[in-house]
Amino acid sequence: MARKMLADGDLSQTSQEESQYDFDLFVIGAGSGGVRAARFSANYGAKVGICELPFHPISSEVIGGVGGTCVIRGCVPKKILVYGATFGGEIEDARNYGWEVNEKLNFNWKKLLQKKTNEINRLNGIYKRLLSNAGVKSLEGEGKIVGPNSVEVTQLDGTKYSYSAKHILIATGSRAHRLPIPGQELAITSDEALSLDDLPKRAVVLGGGYIAVEFASIWKGLGATVDLFYRKDLPLRGFDDEMRAVVARNLEERGINLHPQTNLTELTKTDSGIKVVTDHGDELIADVVLFATGRLPNSKRLNLEAVGVELDRTGAVKVDEYSRTNIPSIWAVGDVTNRMNLTPVALMEGTCFAKTVFGGESSKPDYSNIPCAVFSIPPLSVVGLSEEQAIEQANGDVLIFTSTFNPMKNTISGRQEKTIMKLVVDAETDKVLGASMCGPDAPEIMQGIAVALKCGATKAQFDSTVGIHPSAAEEFVTMRSVSRRVTAGGKPKTNPE
Amino acid sequence: MVPTCFTASKLSAPTLQTLCRNLSVHLPNTIYSFSRQVSPSTSRFRHHHVRFQRRRLFSIRSKSDNDAEPLREYDFDLFTIGAGSGGVRASRFAANFGASVAVCELPFSTISSETTGGVGGTCVLRGCVPKKLMVYASKYSHEFHESNGFGWKYDTKTKHDWGTLVANKNAELQRLTGIYKNILNNAGVSLIEGRGKIVDPHTVDVDGKLYTARHILISVGGRPFIPKIPGSEYAIDSDAALDLPTKPEKVAIVGGGYIALEFAGIFNGLKSEVHVFIRQKKVLRGFDEEIRDFVGDQMSLRGIKFHTEESPQAIVKSASGSLSLTTNKGTVEGFSHIMFATGRRPNTKNLGLESVGVKTNKNGAIEVDEYLRTTVPSIWAVGDVTDRINLTPVALMEGGALAKTLFQNEPTKPDYRSVPSAVFSQPPIGQVGLTDEQAIKEHGDIDVYTSNFRPLKATLSGLPDRVFMKLIVCAKTNKVLGLHMCGEDSAEIVQGFAVAVKAGLTKVDFDATVGIHPTSAEEFVTMRTPTRKIRQSPESEGKLGIEANATAGV
């Protein structure tokens, strides 16, 4: 198959231009999006170079590592700790199933940390091999853009190398952001939280997003006292309100102290720990204070001003629907563009970029019906619209189907925790607009549901699917009666309910 | 909509029948209600009679039925024999549609027999539910192992107390059978305890008492079957295996089907020594070949000993009470228990079927048409007693379809395409749609995508657990024909994909879906390159090969 340089138009120019540049593509940042774009571009026949900062679990301006946030400081280590923490509840549940487990359990944080680090080192190696197997040239150092077609890579020892490239892809991701309050330097971010030397006995988490909720669950599951502070009434702003309430209730029932509508105003170091002061005037002492107060794009040290790449006010690189910046030869994917900050979305963007630029097929990433998961304990997973979004967007009535049930496992374990599932359906077209679930295995269950939603499946198609018995997931295909009907355009306050 | 209400007391039966038939033709969208005279001598029936006045009640009969049958009055619109999954569903739904319904069921016992059963049936009392509870219990030993890799330590070796488990399990079963009784009661269904036997096409005898019904539904299910060999009286079946008073120290399981594998996992997890004897080379005949290999390997790694191509010939009980199993290949001694998981048979004996002319096949299963009707027009059958796809949700589907057909003027055939199912072995299996062999037979050219990986949890636990996933795609239409998985959470994962497969979605649709990271399930939407392409016709090979390359995208 002939390679077509679609973005640059004429095929005949390609061979002449190739010699002008060191690379067809130079990628800055070897995280999920960058590695995917680099590999796929190379597979299409492009000559690709990629640079990444030296490896370290804690990121900074000058430290990163092949694999990026997902592998080193995000999804993977987080999920490992969630697995570790989930055992805490599992072991409690085992007792009523006849298992005689000691009252006092021994959990070795250092062992878990060591094994987590080993796994991340292994994955870091795998990612490096993936790149080299695809024929991508990897460089260690900090990448800067010095012209529309040239980059400069500064190695750890200060040596600088310049490369020219027909296309430059910015895939530098993002980093955790600290709230500027007095004593903020005493707090940690999620980077450090994934690599603490000791398990905190008393942990304070600030933030209501998924990262805050996940760390609260991790530490609680491993036996710490956890206080979670957030500004809103409920955590997880942007998710379905009903599900947010369920998550809050589950966190509370698992023993996390929730402090809604509360901010932290000051941190001070004391002999007994970090003194935390809230805007309600309350004080408490903690071993660890985690700021999970958002992340900011890594766009500062890329020298973007020099070439005129536009940023939005949060510092995110502005791109069009093909991930191209305002400079035609410079593109950006992943968290640095602050669109939908999820690994699989960065992968999709990277894939579409490679297809568009080197695959002869212009491809826009499709942001509809992207499923996602919050690995709280128990987890939440959603795809499509929340009830509120559906009411906002639907032309006609919206039907809400919910199911709240005690999972079978709890009937013997005695755990008091309901699983909740929800389908949001367009009354007129019967199309399922949104699905959500909070309960064990929710993220695994939701993936298949996401395929159905992505393709516009109707409630009738859900109903015609036979259940897998006994599973939790079968509830999604056996929701027979509508829980409520919301009238077209009905804002919650005008809704008769 | 205001239902029109005709009551039997105001109209003579012939008028009523004519009226209803006419109305159902002319006004198909109207909901009518009529009530049939019920036996005034029985107070529990009177309760229904009152309810009928304000509930929509609608009974249709097919034309042949109407023509053939003499006009008469019945105690019930529907009499269901057997209150398991299918029977309860059909009865409840029929009652909700306005029919007067009774269901009879044998007295409760954890062990089924000619004289014992219980409301809830196999699923609730001797199948899905207790089995899954035992699976939960037994899975913990694996989780304890896993947790070691995540830094958890236990001062002493974890022990399991069998008595606690069985007591808690039985308490749960008692609760569930109570719930099922309530469900029937709340739906207005009369529950009669006793053994139902069909006397004529409209009459059921329950322990000497006769009940007449316009329609009779047989939903008596199936029971484990143990082949007669010398010493087979020492063997236990799955009913008994779910209710053992003490832990079996060393157990032989005869059979390679899903029940055998599930119990092998249960006993192994609860620290018994487990030997599985199968006739074939592989477990799970009828399942995807790669899944059969994979699950056998994974179970062996967890300590289960498989004896392949061995057929049982005799069981001998020693003086000490231990059992030995002799097969065509030799004898293994020292078993505390020998369980036979060698199939199930429909409970069709002594139901009076021969006398009324309900036809059964050679296995004793009742033959039904696609609307679940037997060879006798007023007699219907759903669930395991028809021995088609013996799964609870299929019985539920059949029961629901039958209620619609009979009492909602909406003839409904159950749809058996793409029925998903699970095996709760450890690791479990989930599947929907066709196997390789079936797909090739029905569709010719197929592309097969497979993934065999070590899940994130196993990299930390250090255990040899793996996950296997497989997609079978029609090369011509790009439709996903089959989806198979063996590994943790398979049963939960496959349900959503079953919606997609049932809806006839294509591989392109799967690929367009963004993954949920990090999960195992995301692997199903990130399979880019076919593992193999199977082509029947050489001329199509070249053309399709190019297409496949284009869609693979790499």
Side-chain angles (χ1 to χ4, degrees):
Chain A
M1 235 187 325
R3 197 175 92 219
K4 191 175 151 207
M5 305 295 272
L6 174 126
D8 296 274
D10 204 349
L11 183 68
S12 59
Q13 288 179 0
T14 312
S15 52
Q16 295 162 14
E17 282 181 31
E18 252 173 10
S19 56
Q20 283 178 231
Y21 299 107
D22 297 329
F23 294 104
D24 295 322
L25 171 67
F26 195 92
V27 182
I28 305 178
S32 306
V35 169
R36 170 60 63 93
R39 280 175 56 207
F40 278 30
S41 298
N43 285 339
Y44 284 125
K47 190 178 174 197
V48 184
I50 190 166
C51 72
E52 174 57 61
L53 299 166
F55 173 84
H56 194 275
I58 314 235
S59 64
S60 75
E61 299 286 3
V62 292
I63 291 174
V66 172
T69 304
C70 167
V71 174
I72 303 170
R73 288 171 296 272
C75 320
V76 174
K78 173 264 301 277
K79 183 87 188 269
I80 288 172
L81 296 191
V82 169
Y83 275 134
T86 305
F87 287 116
E90 290 291 308
I91 295 162
E92 283 170 26
D93 290 353
R95 292 200 171 93
N96 277 339
Y97 278 98
W99 291 97
E100 292 163 7
V101 191
N102 303 39
E103 272 312 313
K104 211 180 148 293
L105 289 170
N106 185 343
F107 172 72
N108 185 338
W109 171 258
K110 285 196 164 59
K111 182 176 177 186
L112 177 56
L113 249 267
Q114 185 54 52
K115 298 197 77 167
K116 182 218 77 171
T117 306
N118 293 346
E119 173 60 7
I120 283 159
N121 287 336
R122 189 180 75 86
L123 291 174
N124 176 252
I126 287 177
Y127 269 72
K128 285 182 177 166
R129 269 204 304 283
L130 275 178
L131 287 169
S132 67
N133 289 346
V136 175
K137 185 165 172 56
S138 294
L139 303 156
E140 192 170 271
E142 185 181 5
K144 277 187 172 47
I145 294 178
V146 290
N149 295 97
S150 59
V151 290
E152 184 184 87
V153 179
T154 309
Q155 287 188 341
L156 207 52
D157 62 4
T159 323
K160 290 184 172 153
Y161 294 95
S162 289
Y163 300 96
S164 63
K166 189 169 176 56
H167 297 281
I168 297 169
L169 177 67
I170 304 168
T172 49
S174 63
R175 271 212 318 283
H177 158 76
R178 280 162 200 265
L179 211 63
I181 60 166
Q184 53 111 337
E185 70 283 353
L186 298 172
I188 58 168
T189 69
S190 56
D191 284 8
E192 292 87 5
L194 289 165
S195 295
L196 289 176
D197 288 335
D198 296 296
L199 177 67
K201 285 199 171 61
R202 300 159 299 178
V204 161
V205 180
L206 175 64
Y210 77 95
I211 298 174
V213 163
E214 289 175 346
F215 277 97
S217 286
I218 288 168
W219 285 329
K220 184 68 217 173
L222 296 175
T225 304
V226 180
D227 286 87
L228 177 63
F229 295 85
Y230 44 93
R231 275 185 310 189
K232 302 280 172 184
D233 289 346
L234 291 170
L236 297 176
R237 190 159 60 97
F239 284 83
D240 187 286
D241 284 346
E242 190 174 10
M243 303 313 276
R244 295 171 68 191
V246 169
V247 170
R249 195 174 67 223
N250 288 342
L251 293 177
E252 200 155 34
E253 277 173 9
R254 292 248 179 178
I256 294 166
N257 306 313
L258 301 186
H259 305 270
Q261 297 178 305
T262 311
N263 274 318
L264 302 188
T265 52
E266 192 183 358
L267 308 180
T268 3
K269 197 166 183 175
T270 71
D271 289 344
S272 51
I274 303 167
K275 189 173 83 176
V276 177
V277 183
T278 75
D279 59 357
H280 296 183
D282 298 328
E283 288 180 12
L284 64 154
I285 300 288
D287 303 311
V288 155
V289 178
L290 169 67
F291 280 5
T293 43
R295 298 174 63 85
L296 291 177
N298 286 327
S299 59
K300 272 195 196 132
R301 287 164 58 107
L302 284 168
N303 198 34
L304 296 179
E305 322 75 68
V307 285
V309 171
E310 280 178 28
L311 303 180
D312 73 8
R313 59 186 169 79
T314 64
V317 176
K318 282 181 159 178
V319 289
D320 68 10
E321 46 193 350
Y322 292 97
S323 302
R324 190 175 218 156
T325 71
N326 58 313
I327 308 294
S329 59
I330 302 181
W331 310 67
V333 296
D335 289 7
V336 76
T337 63
N338 196 24
R339 287 175 285 182
M340 203 176 274
N341 298 337
L342 295 170
T343 293
V345 171
L347 296 177
M348 171 173 68
E349 290 168 352
T351 306
C352 289
F353 161 82
K355 258 192 196 170
T356 300
V357 179
F358 300 106
E361 190 185 336
S362 34
S363 307
K364 290 182 209 175
D366 176 0
Y367 295 93
S368 67
N369 288 310
I370 289 176
C372 71
V374 177
F375 288 93
S376 46
I377 302 173
L380 167 72
S381 192
V382 305
V383 59
L385 305 182
S386 67
E387 180 174 345
E388 295 73 31
Q389 289 168 329
I391 292 166
E392 194 77 31
Q393 295 176 21
N395 299 319
D397 291 3
V398 174
L399 305 177
I400 308 296
F401 295 80
T402 56
S403 175
T404 302
F405 60 95
N406 196 28
M408 190 194 282
K409 194 175 183 180
N410 294 0
T411 60
I412 285 191
S413 72
R415 180 173 291 283
Q416 298 294 314
E417 188 173 80
K418 301 266 196 255
T419 287
I420 305 208
M421 290 179 175
K422 181 167 183 172
L423 287 178
V424 178
V425 178
D426 186 316
E428 202 178 315
T429 62
D430 197 41
K431 237 171 120 165
V432 179
L433 304 173
S436 35
M437 169 176 179
C438 184
D441 302 324
E444 298 287 356
I445 290 170
M446 200 56 69
Q447 184 70 74
I449 303 288
V451 178
L453 255 76
K454 183 84 187 170
C455 301
T458 59
K459 180 64 167 55
Q461 281 172 320
F462 272 69
D463 295 345
S464 76
T465 305
V466 174
I468 295 181
H469 189 71
S471 67
E474 67 180 317
E475 205 63 24
F476 268 127
V477 299
T478 53
M479 291 176 164
R480 279 197 311 273
S481 42
V482 66
S483 305
R484 56 188 172 272
R485 183 184 190 107
V486 185
T487 314
K491 298 280 177 264
K493 58 172 187 275
T494 58
N495 181 359
E497 281 180 289
Chain B
M1 252 186 308
V2 181
T4 322
C5 186
F6 303 99
T7 47
S9 52
K10 287 182 192 153
L11 294 164
S12 68
T15 322
L16 181 68
Q17 292 217 341
T18 319
L19 188 56
C20 269
R21 193 170 54 214
N22 291 341
L23 278 172
S24 67
V25 172
H26 297 305
L27 296 165
N29 292 324
T30 315
I31 296 172
Y32 340 88
S33 169
F34 74 90
S35 172
R36 201 149 278 293
Q37 190 81 44
V38 292
S39 163
S41 60
T42 319
S43 62
R44 79 175 156 237
F45 298 162
R46 179 169 288 285
H47 162 69
H48 289 283
H49 188 66
V50 174
R51 288 175 66 112
F52 294 156
Q53 306 301 319
R54 52 186 169 80
R55 291 180 53 181
R56 61 203 169 91
L57 166 62
F58 184 39
S59 171
I60 62 144
R61 299 147 305 272
S62 78
K63 221 170 174 220
S64 60
D65 190 2
N66 266 335
D67 295 344
E69 177 197 331
L71 299 167
R72 53 183 281 200
E73 289 169 1
Y74 301 104
D75 296 334
F76 297 99
D77 294 322
L78 176 68
F79 194 99
T80 303
I81 306 177
S85 305
V88 169
R89 172 59 61 94
S91 301
R92 272 175 65 202
F93 279 28
N96 285 338
F97 295 145
S100 64
V101 185
V103 59
C104 70
E105 175 58 64
L106 298 167
F108 172 85
S109 168
T110 49
I111 313 287
S112 63
S113 71
E114 285 291 304
T115 53
T116 54
V119 173
T122 304
C123 169
V124 175
L125 306 176
R126 286 171 298 274
C128 318
V129 174
K131 171 264 300 273
K132 186 87 187 273
L133 292 174
M134 300 289 273
V135 168
Y136 279 130
S138 59
K139 233 182 103 184
Y140 283 112
S141 60
H142 191 70
E143 286 175 35
F144 294 144
H145 273 147
E146 289 180 312
S147 71
N148 290 331
F150 285 84
W152 293 90
K153 268 216 312 264
Y154 310 94
D155 293 347
T156 50
K157 222 170 159 249
T158 45
K159 271 196 324 203
H160 185 258
D161 180 56
W162 188 269
T164 303
L165 172 63
V166 172
N168 286 346
K169 180 211 69 169
N170 285 341
E172 173 61 11
L173 298 193
Q174 287 291 353
R175 191 182 72 88
L176 289 174
T177 195
I179 287 178
Y180 269 73
K181 284 182 184 171
N182 283 341
I183 285 175
L184 288 171
N185 189 40
N186 293 342
V189 174
S190 305
L191 176 62
I192 300 161
E193 190 170 275
R195 197 171 196 295
K197 188 170 176 170
I198 297 173
V199 179
D200 70 41
H202 294 281
T203 309
V204 179
D205 172 327
V206 183
D207 298 338
K209 237 182 141 189
L210 296 181
Y211 301 89
T212 62
R214 172 164 296 280
H215 299 287
I216 295 170
L217 171 62
I218 306 168
S219 50
V220 291
R223 270 213 314 282
F225 165 78
I226 297 181
K228 283 272 167 269
I229 58 165
S232 61
E233 67 274 18
Y234 300 120
I236 58 169
D237 61 19
S238 59
D239 286 4
L242 283 168
D243 204 29
L244 294 174
T246 54
K247 178 185 122 177
E249 290 305 323
K250 181 175 172 182
V251 59
I253 298 175
V254 178
Y258 80 95
I259 297 174
L261 294 201
E262 289 177 341
F263 277 93
I266 289 168
F267 291 131
N268 186 53
L270 295 172
K271 313 275 178 93
S272 303
E273 182 183 335
V274 180
H275 295 253
V276 179
F277 295 82
I278 57 178
R279 264 190 315 197
Q280 315 269 325
K281 280 197 177 116
K282 293 184 195 178
V283 297
L284 289 179
R285 192 155 58 95
F287 282 70
D288 182 88
E289 289 298 323
E290 285 176 280
I291 291 280
R292 296 176 70 184
D293 290 330
F294 184 87
V295 73
D297 290 348
Q298 285 283 306
M299 291 180 72
S300 299
L301 286 171
R302 293 194 188 192
I304 293 164
K305 174 96 179 81
F306 285 97
H307 303 259
T308 57
E309 297 179 276
E310 291 198 37
S311 296
Q313 291 175 338
I315 298 171
V316 176
K317 191 170 192 171
S318 74
S320 68
S322 83
L323 302 168
S324 66
L325 177 68
T326 302
T327 72
N328 52 315
K329 282 192 180 169
T331 299
V332 185
E333 294 179 338
F335 291 111
S336 60
H337 295 78
I338 295 178
M339 172 186 170
F340 272 56
T342 41
R344 299 174 61 87
R345 294 277 187 277
N347 287 328
T348 44
K349 280 193 195 134
N350 301 322
L351 266 179
L353 299 181
E354 308 76 13
S355 62
V356 286
V358 171
K359 208 172 149 195
T360 55
N361 71 14
K362 63 181 161 55
N363 293 327
I366 293 176
E367 290 186 4
V368 289
D369 68 11
E370 51 194 2
Y371 291 99
L372 310 161
R373 189 172 224 156
T374 69
T375 43
V376 177
S378 61
I379 302 180
W380 311 72
V382 299
D384 289 7
V385 77
T386 64
D387 195 21
R388 288 171 301 170
I389 302 179
N390 297 337
L391 295 171
T392 292
V394 170
L396 296 177
M397 170 174 69
E398 291 171 348
L402 180 69
K404 271 190 185 167
T405 300
L406 293 182
F407 302 109
Q408 216 184 22
N409 197 19
E410 196 184 324
T412 305
K413 294 180 207 177
D415 178 358
Y416 298 95
R417 282 173 308 133
S418 301
V419 171
S421 65
V423 177
F424 290 94
S425 46
Q426 298 177 42
I429 297 166
Q431 57 165 22
V432 59
L434 308 179
T435 63
D436 275 6
E437 298 73 31
Q438 292 166 337
I440 292 166
K441 207 169 139 201
E442 290 180 28
H443 298 268
D445 296 349
I446 59 167
D447 293 341
V448 179
Y449 297 77
T450 59
S451 179
N452 183 330
F453 62 95
R454 195 172 186 205
L456 182 57
K457 202 176 196 175
T459 60
L460 267 276
S461 71
L463 299 178
D465 299 348
R466 297 190 70 85
V467 175
F468 177 75
M469 288 179 173
K470 179 169 186 174
L471 280 180
I472 299 165
V473 178
C474 180
K476 269 193 287 286
T477 60
N478 195 242
K479 262 190 191 166
V480 177
L481 304 172
L483 182 147
H484 307 264
M485 171 174 180
C486 180
E488 197 174 347
D489 299 329
S490 293
E492 300 288 355
I493 289 171
V494 168
Q495 183 70 71
F497 290 103
V499 178
V501 171
K502 176 86 185 181
L505 299 187
T506 62
K507 179 65 169 59
V508 171
D509 295 325
F510 274 62
D511 296 343
T513 306
V514 173
I516 300 177
H517 190 68
T519 60
S520 290
E522 67 180 318
E523 199 67 20
F524 271 129
V525 298
T526 54
M527 291 175 155
R528 284 196 308 272
T529 323
T531 310
R532 57 185 177 274
K533 296 176 182 183
I534 300 167
R535 297 291 178 268
Q536 306 296 300
S537 45
E539 71 269 28
S540 65
E541 197 166 359
K543 185 172 148 265
L544 290 166
I546 291 162
E547 276 173 18
N549 272 337
T551 51
V554 185

